Amino acid sequence: MNTKNIITLLAVLAIASCGRKEESRVKVPIRVKTEVAAHEHGNSDARTFVGTVEEREATAVSFTGMGVVRRVLVSEGQRVGRGQLLAEMDDTQARNLLAGAEAQVAQAEDALARYSQLHEAGSMTEAQWVEVQSKVAQACSSLEVARKNVADCRLTAPVSGIIGRKLVGAGETALPSQAVVTILDISQVKVRVAVPEAEISHIDAGTPTYIKVEAVGRTFEGGRIEKGIVADAMTHTYDVRIAVDNRERRLLPGMVAAVRFVAAMPQHTGTGEDSEAGRDGRTGQEAMTLPVTAVQQRAAGQLFVWTVAADSTAHRTPVSIGPTSGNRVSITEGLKGGERIVTEGYQKLSEGTRVIF
């Protein structure tokens, strides 16, 4: 076989190999997250942000003295009641001190009984009698302290809740005021959101909110809102906390939530386009929004989103956008509603890539 034929054969093999690699690459589906585009009927003046679920209150529980922890009786995530035993410290030294205090009380009371006869007979001064009584009182006081030290070797829950973190284990030395466990009250939780300073004026204590938590697959209606008054120096955002009822204990601290603030629509007194058009150019009663990150830009400047076809392949769909609100942007052209839009994982996509979601 001559050199020319060898080169031709190698080229054919290389092309076939590339074809097989390309075919293999296309056949491997890319995992993405999606959202169905839909018109949102009702108040179009809504702002959506990403928030984090927080406990209503966290209580750090600690021993009052120093000692070696004998055992910890609870684990993280366990529900505990007020007064329940959480941990025990080695109480050998405390019990020895208690025994000594009890002996001192017995000695002082015995002396009081003997000297009382002398006092009644007038054989001792009033000052000596007062001194004997004082020693009894001091011994009784030391006994109470010793009993409390023994009791303090047992750590009980001051409130009811769920164990958040276990910070000290058996065999470790606990220091005074060092947290052994934390107890979280999640009967009601708060969802914390960082709101830009340009948006904070639209939110007050009674602003309606809807909170979607993907981890539990539910949307909750928010309650009273607490607004922070000091902005973050770096991001110029204010912390806003929304109370959410959590009697079922389904919401846990750290869960991510999509928080939608629904503000009152501005009132228009005149007639014309402003009185009929919403922020996306449609009627004031419907709008279509997507996460800002779902909208991409091609080299030529054209905006597009990745839509998923019926055969689970991804395709670029040109769109036009309107104003942004929070973490979402309104879509004015390009989508009719009902399209499945890729919101995460689009970095690995190319035209016609097969996806799973």
Side-chain angles (χ1 to χ4, degrees), residues 30 39 93 136 193 225 305 350:
I30 303 297
H39 294 118
Q93 183 178 0
V136 174
V193 181
I225 295 175
V305 295
S350 59

Side-chain angles (χ1 to χ4, degrees), residues 266-283:
Q267 299 297 320
H268 300 283
T269 57
T271 59
E273 185 177 356
D274 285 345
S275 63
E276 296 295 333
R279 291 189 305 152
D280 66 347
R282 296 182 176 88
T283 65

Side-chain angles (χ1 to χ4, degrees), residues 122-145:
S123 300
M124 63 184 305
T125 65
E126 192 66 27
Q128 291 175 326
W129 175 243
V130 171
E131 182 180 357
V132 172
Q133 290 179 314
S134 297
K135 288 183 178 179
V136 174
Q138 291 174 0
C140 290
S141 178
S142 298
L143 177 61
E144 292 301 318
V145 172

Side-chain angles (χ1 to χ4, degrees), residues 31-178:
R31 181 170 294 278
V32 297
K33 287 188 177 181
T34 64
E35 176 179 319
V36 176
H39 294 118
E40 300 171 353
H41 296 277
N43 195 330
S44 65
D45 190 10
R47 300 165 177 84
T48 304
F49 301 89
V50 175
T52 306
V53 177
E54 295 181 343
E55 66 277 0
R56 180 183 184 181
E57 187 175 359
T59 303
V61 187
S62 60
F63 289 105
T64 57
M66 182 177 71
V68 177
V69 177
R70 179 188 297 170
R71 56 177 182 163
V72 179
L73 303 173
V74 293
S75 56
E76 294 183 359
Q78 179 180 339
R79 186 174 299 179
V80 297
R82 182 176 181 179
Q84 181 175 336
L85 182 63
L86 305 177
E88 289 183 328
M89 184 186 293
D90 186 358
D91 60 355
T92 303
Q93 183 178 0
R95 290 195 175 278
N96 289 337
L97 293 176
L98 175 61
E102 290 173 341
Q104 289 179 357
V105 170
Q107 183 181 8
E109 289 178 342
D110 179 68
L112 179 65
R114 287 186 288 107
Y115 283 116
S116 64
Q117 298 177 1
L118 296 176
H119 178 260
E120 292 174 357
S123 300
M124 63 184 305
T125 65
E126 192 66 27
Q128 291 175 326
W129 175 243
V130 171
E131 182 180 357
V132 172
Q133 290 179 314
S134 297
K135 288 183 178 179
V136 174
Q138 291 174 0
C140 290
S141 178
S142 298
L143 177 61
E144 292 301 318
V145 172
R147 286 173 176 170
K148 185 177 184 304
N149 289 337
V150 172
D152 287 344
C153 292
R154 292 166 55 87
L155 187 64
T156 58
V159 295
S160 299
I162 291 179
I163 301 298
R165 296 186 63 188
K166 185 171 69 173
L167 303 171
V168 176
E172 297 181 0
T173 300
L175 301 177
S177 301
Q178 177 191 10

